[in-house]
Amino acid sequence: SKRRQRFTRKKRFFGGATMARPRRLLTVLAAASRASAFDVPFFGFNWKELVIGGAGVDPKDGVLGRVQVKSDPLAVCNDGSPAVYYLKEGDPTLWLVYLEGGGWCYDEQTCTKRAQVSPKMTSSNGYPETVAMDGIFSTDPQRSPIPEATKVFVKYCSSDAHAGDVGKEDGGALGWHFRGKRIVDAVFSELISDWGLGNSPGGTTVVFGGTSAGGRGAMFHLDAVRRRLESSGAAQPSLGPTRGARPRVQVVGVLDSPLWLDMPPLYESLVPMQEQTELIRKLAGIAHPDVLDPACAQAFPPGEQWKCLYGEYRIDFVTTRYALFASSYDSYQLGQLLGHRPSTKAEFLLAEDFAAKTRRKLAELPSKRQRQDSVIYSQACYNHAVSFYEDFYRAKTSDGVSERDCLAKSILRRFADLQQPRRDTGPATIDAGLAEAEAAANESKRRLLRGQGGGQGGGPGGGTRAGEGRGWWVDSCEGGFACGAGCAAKAEDIISRGKSTLAQRWSAINPH
């Protein structure tokens, strides 16, 4: 199309796959992007760093070009400006489509403040022509398991976790537009019609996901996106271990940090996340069955429909294969529960309770209704939403597995094996050690399940099925905010000291 030709000409300037990109040019582009990116602390990390790539831009970062949504005039930001996504063309058989995160607003006060403090989260005005991104968007196979993929980054300017569909013209509250669902739909329409998504004769794999609010949005949309893309292509013979027909387009999810737990905040001055969710459900007109999911809506009474937008409950109804990232000390939710990083013994105890509940919930996944080759990953880290940040390939479980390694070993293994040779050195290589790490992770799950009384768990998923730990990397470390080998070291220290209660464990490591 003419649109694609125009974009290709622009791509040759700012860094397509066919041209070398000078370091100086990348630095200039990064500076332009950095200057216009929003800069809002989200309890434990700086969102500007997350978007741009953290430690600075280099030739290994993926550089994506701006595309304005034109297929649907109602696919707009809160202020009515057109929605925007960023795209870098690559392998036409492999696509990464990622939704940006960044909280939300749920009433007049929070929305007014959001527009004042974070204008780039409510309007596309001033968005840069390019963004440079690390982590899963990187062009370096040491950093991303899919460096050659066609990559799409959907900007977040609807403040509704990509789920709403009500506008100013509909009499929407505050005179705002909440069109997150419509934006996601329009982006996929354009990827199909303008960019050739699904047209590859040999079949196409779409990795659909997001971080934080984008992770929740991807969780809401994942099944509907799979149905839409699978129905758009003919079936073809399966090349996998199960013979038969498979869709021409296959979809897998990467859900980074959507797992909100149903816990009250420690202090009454904080608005509970459950209340926030119900308020935004009403404010943004979140009612479409593609978002709420009919099975989930039927599972809860009218007064509890907010649970279909809440990670702890909604994740059980996702039927598409997925990888779930959920740090046991998720800095965003702990910030929502405490208002700041834990600093007192009572706050540390809440953090430890949160971590224990996270592990118990993860032990129930994947549930019996879900794809059993879905993947669960949790570090004992105080972080949140790092999949296009350097911690995607640097932060690791106590078994030495990063989020990048997790994907390369599981749902994206066949792509990683093709695009990266096995090596013996490097911070995030795929080698024989990962098989040992996987076995150790499975044993950790079995130990955890035995500690729950023979492997029987609650929730919609039924039993937790001890011994079925495939694709399950969850740190069982207690003692707080420890990543990688530090987790194992702290756990060993706790055991050697004979500390048995949560308070004693925290006192041994974090005296206050």
Side-chain angles (χ1 to χ4, degrees):
S1 67
K2 292 182 179 179
R3 185 178 187 185
R4 184 177 188 133
Q5 292 170 357
R6 287 196 301 272
F7 184 85
T8 302
R9 287 196 294 270
K10 288 176 65 178
K11 184 184 73 169
R12 292 194 182 103
F13 171 74
F14 63 71
T18 59
M19 293 189 65
R21 290 169 295 187
R23 170 79 181 212
R24 183 176 179 182
L25 174 60
L26 280 172
T27 304
V28 171
L29 292 172
S33 299
R34 191 182 302 276
S36 59
F38 44 90
D39 186 3
V40 182
F42 275 81
F43 299 113
F45 60 89
N46 181 290
W47 201 263
K48 179 177 70 175
E49 292 182 338
L50 193 64
V51 170
I52 299 304
V57 178
D58 59 39
K60 296 179 180 180
D61 290 337
V63 180
L64 291 75
R66 172 177 166 159
V67 183
Q68 180 176 307
V69 173
K70 297 181 179 180
S71 60
D72 185 346
L74 296 182
V76 296
C77 302
N78 292 136
D79 68 343
S81 57
V84 165
Y85 57 98
Y86 288 82
L87 185 144
K88 176 181 173 59
E89 292 187 277
D91 183 349
T93 70
L94 176 61
W95 292 66
L96 172 68
V97 183
Y98 233 55
L99 307 182
E100 183 181 30
W104 58 19
C105 65
Y106 47 85
D107 58 18
E108 183 175 3
Q109 179 181 357
T110 57
C111 289
T112 299
K113 183 176 181 180
R114 183 178 179 89
Q116 294 172 345
V117 176
S118 312
K120 301 303 180 190
M121 305 207 73
T122 61
S123 173
S124 64
N125 293 325
Y127 279 1
E129 286 298 310
T130 63
V131 292
M133 303 177 68
D134 199 357
I136 198 170
F137 282 87
S138 175
T139 60
D140 181 3
Q142 296 290 318
R143 299 181 179 185
S144 171
I146 47 174
E148 301 299 327
T150 294
K151 295 166 184 173
V152 181
F153 177 56
V154 182
K155 285 290 290 181
Y156 179 40
C157 62
S158 57
S159 306
D160 57 1
H162 303 272
D165 193 11
V166 66
K168 182 178 180 180
E169 59 277 358
D170 302 321
L174 313 180
W176 278 33
H177 303 270
F178 294 93
R179 296 291 194 183
K181 178 190 181 301
R182 191 173 288 268
I183 292 171
V184 172
D185 291 345
V187 168
F188 274 102
S189 293
E190 295 188 4
L191 295 180
I192 294 169
S193 64
D194 295 356
W195 301 101
L197 173 60
N199 287 345
S200 179
T204 303
T205 296
V206 176
V207 182
F208 177 48
T211 60
S212 192
R216 296 199 306 281
M219 179 176 61
F220 305 150
H221 289 283
L222 181 57
D223 288 342
V225 166
R226 173 182 55 80
R227 290 191 295 267
R228 177 182 182 181
L229 294 181
E230 286 182 352
S231 65
S232 67
Q236 63 179 14
S238 173
L239 301 179
T242 56
R243 299 185 180 278
R246 68 177 182 183
R248 184 178 296 277
V249 180
Q250 293 187 308
V251 179
V252 295
V254 176
L255 310 177
D256 186 354
S257 305
L259 191 69
W260 286 7
L261 298 183
D262 191 355
M263 295 177 64
L266 187 61
Y267 304 111
E268 293 183 358
S269 60
L270 300 173
V271 180
M273 299 173 78
Q274 302 87 333
E275 181 179 340
Q276 295 179 31
T277 305
E278 174 63 9
L279 288 171
I280 189 63
R281 186 183 72 85
K282 296 178 178 179
L283 181 67
I286 303 175
H288 197 283
D290 281 353
V291 175
L292 289 182
D293 186 84
C296 183
Q298 292 175 11
F300 299 106
E304 296 182 2
Q305 291 295 290
W306 60 269
K307 290 184 176 180
C308 294
L309 300 174
Y310 209 85
E312 178 178 351
Y313 303 107
R314 179 52 186 275
I315 189 65
D316 295 319
F317 295 90
V318 176
T319 58
T320 305
R321 189 186 186 195
Y322 64 83
L324 173 67
F325 299 151
S327 291
S328 55
Y329 300 96
D330 184 280
S331 58
Y332 181 81
Q333 185 163 5
L334 285 176
Q336 293 285 322
L337 296 175
L338 300 173
H340 51 257
R341 185 185 178 107
S343 59
T344 68
K345 184 171 291 187
E347 292 171 352
F348 282 130
L349 288 173
L350 183 143
E352 197 62 63
D353 185 40
F354 174 84
K357 289 182 177 179
T358 298
R359 290 191 291 269
R360 287 197 295 270
K361 177 61 185 178
L362 296 180
E364 299 173 0
L365 300 174
S367 67
K368 288 184 176 179
R369 76 175 73 200
Q370 295 177 322
R371 287 278 301 262
Q372 294 304 296
D373 52 357
S374 291
V375 178
I376 311 301
Y377 178 94
S378 178
Q379 305 164 345
C381 300
Y382 183 73
N383 65 17
H384 174 80
V386 302
S387 54
F388 46 94
Y389 186 51
E390 61 185 11
D391 275 357
F392 176 69
Y393 50 89
R394 290 187 176 177
K396 301 182 179 183
T397 63
S398 56
D399 296 312
V401 179
S402 66
E403 290 184 1
R404 178 242 176 255
D405 297 336
C406 165
L407 295 179
K409 184 66 177 175
S410 56
I411 64 173
L412 300 180
R413 180 168 187 166
R414 67 188 181 97
F415 302 106
D417 286 349
L418 287 173
Q419 298 180 25
Q420 175 175 303
R422 297 180 182 272
R423 302 180 183 178
D424 296 328
T425 60
T429 53
I430 307 173
D431 55 24
L434 283 178
E436 298 177 5
E438 182 178 16
N442 293 342
E443 177 58 25
S444 296
K445 181 175 184 178
R446 287 190 286 271
R447 288 198 302 269
L448 175 61
L449 298 180
R450 285 198 297 268
Q452 292 179 322
Q456 294 300 314
T464 50
R465 306 167 324 284
E468 296 180 16
R470 178 184 179 189
W472 202 85
W473 289 273
V474 177
D475 269 339
S476 58
C477 173
E478 293 179 338
F481 305 1
C483 294
C487 171
K490 285 191 174 184
E492 190 65 31
D493 180 65
I494 292 169
I495 294 172
S496 66
R497 290 169 180 261
K499 302 297 181 180
S500 58
T501 68
L502 290 175
Q504 288 174 322
R505 283 196 284 268
W506 271 106
S507 296
I509 299 170
N510 294 285
H512 286 272

